[in-house]
Amino acid sequence: MKNILIYVFALIYTFSINAQNLLNNGTFEFGGPGYGFWVDGQGYIQLNTPYSGSTSAGNYAFVANPQVMNTLIFSSSADHTSGNGKMMVIDGNTTGGQQRFWKAGDNGGGICNLQVGQSYEFSYWVKTVSNSIAGNSELADIRISINNASAVTLAFGTTLAPIPNFGWLQVRYTFTATSTCVNIELYNENTNAIGNDFALDDLSLRKNNIPLDFTYSITQPNCAEENSGMIVIYPTGGQPPYLFQINGQQPQAITNDTGIFQYVEPGTYTIGLMDANGVIDSVQQVIVSTISPIAINPSDTAVCPNTALVFQATGGANYQWSASPNDPELLISNLDSIQISPNNSTTYTASATISNLNSIYNGDFEAGNTGFVTDYTFYAPTNPSGVQRGYGVVTNPSNWFPTFNACIDHTLGNGFGKMLVVDGSTYNLGTDEFWSQTVAVEPNKNYIFSFWVSSLTPLNLAQIKTQINGVDLGTYSVLTQNCAWNQISYNWNSGSNLIATVSLSDFNYQGNGNDFAVDDISLKTTSVCSAEVTVTMATANPDYGLSYPTNICINEGLVSPVLGPDFVTGGFFNVIQPGINIDNLSGVLNPIGSIPGTYELTYTAQVCGVFIPDTHVVVIRPLPTLVEFTGGDYNCSNHEFNSLNLLVTGSPNFSVSYSLDGVSQELTGVSSSLIALSNSPGVYVLDSLSDAFCTNSISGTQTISIADAPITPEILGDSTFCLNSIIQPLSITNVNNGIRWYSNSALTNYLGDYSELLPSNQTTQTYYATQTLNNCESLPDSFTVYISPCDIEIPTAFTPNNDGTNDYWTISGLDTQYPKNRVKIYNRWGELLFESLPGTYSSKPWDGTYKSSILPVSSYYFVIDLTDDGTMDPLNGIVSIILKK
């Protein structure tokens, strides 16, 4: 699908249909161990109702509110899935040895049917349920073990559960499968008894980096209500949540967070969606047409009074004709055709009862794998490995999987029609739907839902359950005759429902056999359908509704007239004065080559023996033009460039399209013919010029250079020295001339124009450097040199490359001199990267890592608190990670 949706979405948080989750019972709504996962860690004990109101380390349960387990310590909160469902709540286990509290698979054996080499994302939502947490040491530390996988990466979140008032936090890991079966296990690294209590919800395993895509279904409007159509969008891939949109007949686009659009009138639509990353996918030319099969020939017509007419109805049977206002000549009203000679404008209606209208979209699968949602995996063109829980849309099941019988579809029965083939699922929770679609229905009507099914293998025949809006209609046991199509039908009354979600599931969970085909799915009811034709009497002075755009540009293509409902054919078009080309029969104007000016156009036709004219006035507009393109010179005195200026002709207001360094720009609503573009440096390329009426392509390129402007120097040097020690000079790295040094930010205390500056070794001082070029002085760069009494040695750099030399930032004498010291390391954005425990820095010095990863070569800020009571000023400065040569 192409990203062609032209409206801009406003992103909001939504919950909608997600890409396929390969985990079963990730929401915990279907119970505990044995339903999609297993718990086998020592020390873990499951609690069941009734709860005592207190818990011990290792207790866990599946509840809607953690507080029912421990009324004193656990906070009251809702699950993440829906706000009223279940979550897994765990009182932190104190047993060591990485005891597993969650293992994927019904018996903990992992997840199979993965694709080797495919990237996957495993995620879960976690929150702290203890209402009193003193620090990070009391938070659960959830770690993961993924076997048969490579490139396991923590992509989002942290291993620590969030602080209590943070709420739910998502954690996402990515990995690449190295086997078709992968083991995923979770354990809590924190074995402290205090705090360490958490809840888990919405675990998922999905293919990673799946491009955003979607399919859709259409319910055509029913005969009772023209605006009763419905479009449903089913997304896959991308990053949920999604935002959905349709754009067509309405004055503006319609957006929602469900993907279900009711009350859609007939017309052509562009439909699409946007995911949480802002990726947009859409498709045009989605047609919602009237469902009524009845047609009347000829169509609406205008005639003179008492003209003999014959109207023929098709598409139904046993018609009933009516007229509004009443036509006394309509004496026989139950035939296929009527003969009339009206002398008044009248609308004639032909009605018939239709009983075979199908509300299901693509129920015969001739449009391929589209129009429905499924929990199964699509394999095309074949399923050579016979993967369970798979499906295809094919003409021959044997070509899809060799052991299947070579059957033909039910719709066409000629070997060329398509059908849905299914390799049954082995999941046993009864939640796998191999086909589901959401359609619009009429309330309080009787429907017949049916489908055709055929066995493809003789073993372990499928048990197909049908549901509408979650209510069971019945379960059908597929017959043993291979390739023999059997129809299954159920009666259903819509009641008060306006929407019906129809789903088919296989309740046989055997891996051997359990293979079948489905075709011709339908949901039908009886409706009274009709069609109308209007006969309009020609009047003595009709209004043909002739109109053109009032303003037409001379570079436009052919322009056709707009004609009203009273238009009479057989006339001719003309223009009063010369200068514009017009086709006398069609009224099509050709502005190219025309002379700008005002023109009066006419259309004249004979109405009931009299020639009647209609007129319209148009203005042919000249194109706006570019006269001059100037400016862009450098203004040294105020460090700016003079604006680029365009001198143009045309009718205000003006708009200019251009690019700046290859990035498209737009300037609109300029009332003056002298247009100032910008004074930003770069290469400007003109594209088009528009005035109030027309657009003209223009060209021109101009470059603004900043080579002659002074730039801010970059100061390099050591930042911390001992009192009275030898001081290293400060140097400039990016320029080598015009340098000026100052000792204050106002740049009034001038120190000199040296290429290097030797700072004081007596007091801490901030120094400023500028560059002067062409009598212009740049903005300053500043650098602070810190002077401190050196009873400890603070290195300014180290090389953490694991070569055994200078791998740690070692501060000699720190713990001995100041036993309550605390060392903190920050990056340039103030983010804390490292913090030592009091008095332990010498035994555990910083190794240049953050979250177990070596930090890049750069300078980092340190703060050394010498005491814990603030009686001594902290030491601070910069330490650099450098490459060892």
Side-chain angles (χ1 to χ4, degrees):
M1 296 181 181
K2 298 179 179 178
N3 293 338
I4 51 179
L5 202 61
I6 61 175
Y7 283 86
V8 177
F9 287 102
L11 184 59
I12 59 175
Y13 187 85
T14 61
F15 178 79
S16 187
I17 308 169
N18 204 339
Q20 184 182 19
N21 184 3
L22 303 179
L23 295 181
N24 216 1
N25 194 27
T27 63
F28 301 112
E29 303 304 324
F30 296 99
Y35 294 92
F37 70 99
W38 193 251
V39 180
D40 63 1
Q42 296 182 20
Y44 284 104
I45 300 175
Q46 182 176 355
L47 302 181
N48 296 292
T49 56
Y51 302 107
S52 66
S54 64
T55 58
S56 301
N59 288 166
Y60 70 92
F62 303 92
V63 295
N65 187 343
Q67 199 172 61
V68 300
M69 297 173 57
N70 193 316
T71 56
L72 181 62
I73 298 176
F74 290 179
S75 59
S76 177
S77 60
D79 81 321
H80 178 265
T81 309
S82 62
N84 55 17
K86 297 178 181 178
M87 67 192 96
M88 184 180 188
V89 180
I90 301 175
D91 188 322
N93 194 353
T94 58
T95 305
Q98 300 179 346
Q99 303 301 321
R100 271 52 171 170
F101 63 82
W102 185 92
K103 299 172 68 174
D106 291 349
N107 59 2
I111 300 297
C112 292
N113 295 331
L114 303 187
Q115 297 177 4
V116 175
Q118 169 68 45
S119 175
Y120 291 87
E121 180 185 83
F122 172 76
S123 68
Y124 60 85
W125 290 82
V126 62
K127 71 175 299 183
T128 297
V129 299
S130 176
N131 55 28
S132 178
I133 295 291
N136 289 352
S137 63
E138 296 182 5
L139 296 173
D141 188 2
I142 300 174
R143 304 297 181 91
I144 192 169
S145 173
I146 304 180
N147 298 327
N148 296 333
S150 64
V152 178
T153 303
L154 178 60
F156 182 82
T158 175
T159 62
L160 290 181
I163 59 177
N165 61 358
F166 191 87
W168 287 102
L169 172 71
Q170 188 181 34
V171 179
R172 299 199 296 265
Y173 288 87
T174 59
F175 66 88
T176 300
T178 59
S179 173
T180 57
C181 294
V182 173
N183 300 91
I184 305 176
E185 303 174 355
L186 298 177
Y187 60 92
N188 184 2
E189 187 75 0
N190 188 354
T191 56
N192 294 328
I194 300 176
N196 195 21
D197 309 311
F198 62 97
L200 214 65
D201 205 359
D202 291 331
L203 285 78
S204 70
L205 177 64
R206 310 177 193 279
K207 284 185 178 180
N208 197 23
N209 300 324
I210 301 176
L212 182 65
D213 199 358
F214 68 91
T215 184
Y216 61 89
S217 62
I218 302 171
T219 307
Q220 304 294 355
N222 61 60
C223 293
E225 174 57 52
E226 182 182 22
N227 297 343
S228 60
M230 187 167 75
I231 297 175
V232 181
I233 303 173
Y234 312 98
T236 59
Q239 179 62 47
Y242 304 104
L243 195 65
F244 304 86
Q245 186 181 95
I246 66 171
N247 175 35
Q249 303 304 110
Q250 298 81 1
Q252 59 186 10
I254 301 176
T255 302
N256 68 30
D257 58 3
T258 65
I260 300 176
F261 296 90
Q262 295 177 267
Y263 314 114
V264 177
E265 62 183 279
T268 301
Y269 292 84
T270 294
I271 67 174
L273 73 163
M274 181 173 68
D275 71 357
N277 292 328
V279 179
I280 297 175
D281 194 14
S282 64
V283 63
Q284 290 179 321
Q285 300 298 316
V286 176
I287 298 176
V288 177
S289 59
T290 177
I291 199 171
S292 176
I294 299 176
I296 300 177
N297 189 47
S299 58
D300 294 348
T301 185
V303 297
C304 296
N306 300 313
T307 301
L309 298 171
V310 176
F311 290 107
Q312 177 76 39
T314 58
N318 301 319
Y319 298 101
Q320 289 294 321
W321 288 86
S322 61
S324 178
N326 182 51
D327 183 355
E329 290 191 3
L330 188 60
L331 301 177
I332 302 176
S333 59
N334 59 355
L335 300 178
D336 293 354
S337 63
I338 57 173
Q339 299 181 13
I340 54 174
S341 300
N343 55 16
N344 293 303
S345 296
T346 306
T347 297
Y348 298 89
T349 302
S351 302
T353 300
I354 308 296
S355 60
N356 61 348
L357 300 178
N358 186 10
S359 299
I360 298 296
Y361 180 78
N362 192 32
D364 57 8
F365 300 102
E366 295 306 313
N369 180 38
T370 185
F372 62 95
V373 65
T374 177
D375 291 317
Y376 284 49
T377 301
F378 179 62
Y379 292 94
T382 63
N383 182 17
S385 300
V387 178
Q388 306 294 309
R389 206 189 192 201
Y391 77 97
V393 179
V394 300
T395 58
N396 187 338
S398 182
N399 293 338
W400 190 71
F401 185 57
T403 64
F404 288 179
N405 289 298
C407 308
I408 60 176
D409 84 314
H410 177 265
T411 309
L412 303 180
N414 58 6
F416 297 100
K418 297 177 183 178
M419 70 195 90
L420 178 75
V421 297
V422 180
D423 196 321
S425 172
T426 57
Y427 285 13
N428 62 359
L429 287 180
T431 58
D432 279 350
E433 298 172 352
F434 65 82
W435 180 93
S436 179
Q437 187 178 120
T438 300
V439 301
V441 294
E442 298 179 68
N444 303 309
K445 295 204 70 172
N446 292 319
Y447 284 82
I448 297 177
F449 174 74
S450 72
F451 61 92
W452 291 79
V453 64
S454 173
S455 175
L456 300 178
T457 56
L459 301 176
N460 296 319
L461 301 173
Q463 304 287 321
I464 300 179
K465 182 175 75 171
T466 300
Q467 290 184 318
I468 297 184
N469 290 343
V471 178
D472 292 354
L473 299 188
T475 300
Y476 174 79
S477 299
V478 178
L479 301 180
T480 58
Q481 300 97 324
N482 296 331
C483 295
W485 289 103
N486 296 281
Q487 187 179 26
I488 297 88
S489 299
Y490 300 100
N491 295 320
W492 179 72
N493 185 275
S494 58
S496 61
N497 291 299
L498 297 176
I499 296 177
T501 298
V502 188
S503 61
L504 298 176
S505 305
D506 178 17
F507 268 62
N508 183 350
Y509 313 118
Q510 302 299 318
N512 188 18
N514 189 22
D515 309 306
F516 56 95
V518 172
D519 204 0
D520 291 330
I521 305 174
S522 66
L523 181 66
K524 297 181 178 180
T525 189
T526 299
S527 297
V528 176
C529 300
S530 61
E532 294 181 348
V533 62
T534 298
V535 177
T536 304
M537 291 296 104
T539 61
N541 188 21
D543 180 8
Y544 301 142
L546 177 66
S547 67
Y548 291 86
T550 302
N551 295 284
I552 301 175
C553 300
I554 61 173
N555 63 344
E556 290 187 32
L558 300 179
V559 180
S560 297
V562 176
L563 302 168
D566 293 336
F567 176 73
V568 177
T569 61
F572 58 92
F573 295 85
N574 203 356
V575 60
I576 301 301
Q577 64 273 43
I580 185 173
N581 298 318
I582 187 171
D583 186 296
N584 298 115
L585 295 180
S586 66
V588 174
L589 300 180
N590 186 0
I592 297 177
S594 299
I595 300 174
T598 302
Y599 297 87
E600 184 176 4
L601 307 175
T602 65
Y603 174 75
T604 304
Q606 188 179 44
V607 179
C608 299
V610 179
F611 286 96
I612 305 296
D614 194 3
T615 62
H616 187 77
V617 175
V618 300
V619 179
I620 303 298
R621 296 284 180 176
L623 301 182
T625 58
L626 172 64
V627 177
E628 191 176 13
F629 184 17
T630 61
D633 49 320
Y634 183 69
N635 185 342
C636 182
S637 61
N638 58 10
H639 292 225
E640 291 184 352
F641 294 94
N642 293 326
S643 295
L644 288 175
N645 296 317
L646 307 180
L647 181 60
V648 301
T649 63
S651 301
N653 287 339
F654 297 98
S655 298
V656 181
S657 295
Y658 64 98
S659 66
L660 175 56
D661 290 337
V663 179
S664 296
Q665 310 284 333
E666 187 81 16
L667 182 64
T668 61
V670 181
S671 59
S672 172
S673 60
L674 183 62
I675 303 173
L677 286 188
S678 172
N679 61 355
S680 298
V683 177
Y684 291 76
V685 178
L686 302 181
D687 178 43
S688 65
L689 170 67
S690 301
D691 66 2
F693 305 104
C694 301
T695 298
N696 191 11
S697 297
I698 58 176
S699 62
T701 302
Q702 186 155 335
T703 302
I704 294 179
S705 173
I706 61 171
D708 53 353
I711 63 175
T712 300
E714 296 179 0
I715 305 175
L716 182 65
D718 293 333
S719 62
T720 303
F721 296 94
C722 296
L723 184 67
N724 297 318
S725 66
I726 297 176
I727 303 294
Q728 298 299 319
L730 303 179
S731 61
I732 305 298
T733 63
N734 61 334
V735 294
N736 56 16
N737 56 63
I739 301 168
R740 307 188 72 181
W741 293 90
Y742 300 88
S743 62
N744 65 330
S745 60
L747 307 182
T748 57
N749 295 333
Y750 175 65
L751 300 178
D753 57 356
Y754 324 110
S755 60
E756 292 184 334
L757 177 71
L758 189 65
S760 168
N761 65 353
Q762 297 297 311
T763 60
T764 296
Q765 176 68 49
T766 299
Y767 300 91
Y768 302 84
T770 65
Q771 185 197 22
T772 299
L773 185 63
N774 296 330
N775 297 319
C776 298
E777 190 170 11
S778 72
L779 295 174
D781 187 25
S782 63
F783 192 90
T784 301
V785 177
Y786 299 91
I787 304 299
S788 62
C790 288
D791 52 352
I792 58 175
E793 294 182 5
I794 304 176
T796 60
F798 68 114
T799 59
N801 56 1
N802 293 322
D803 64 351
T805 302
N806 202 23
D807 288 331
Y808 297 88
W809 189 47
T810 303
I811 306 176
S812 301
L814 178 61
D815 290 352
T816 303
Q817 296 285 345
Y818 303 98
K820 295 185 179 181
N821 75 84
R822 187 186 295 267
V823 179
K824 302 175 185 177
I825 307 295
Y826 299 85
N827 62 18
R828 68 181 62 186
W829 297 280
E831 183 180 6
L832 181 63
L833 306 179
F834 172 85
E835 182 178 6
S836 67
L837 296 176
T840 64
Y841 184 80
S842 295
S843 60
K844 293 183 179 179
W846 183 41
D847 60 358
T849 66
Y850 177 58
K851 293 185 177 180
S852 301
S853 297
I854 293 294
L855 290 166
V857 172
S858 185
S859 295
Y860 299 87
Y861 299 92
F862 69 81
V863 176
I864 303 175
D865 293 320
L866 301 177
T867 63
D868 61 351
D869 57 3
T871 57
M872 296 185 67
D873 292 335
L875 303 180
N876 50 58
I878 296 176
V879 59
S880 299
I881 293 178
I882 62 176
L883 290 175
K884 185 174 182 181
K885 298 183 179 179

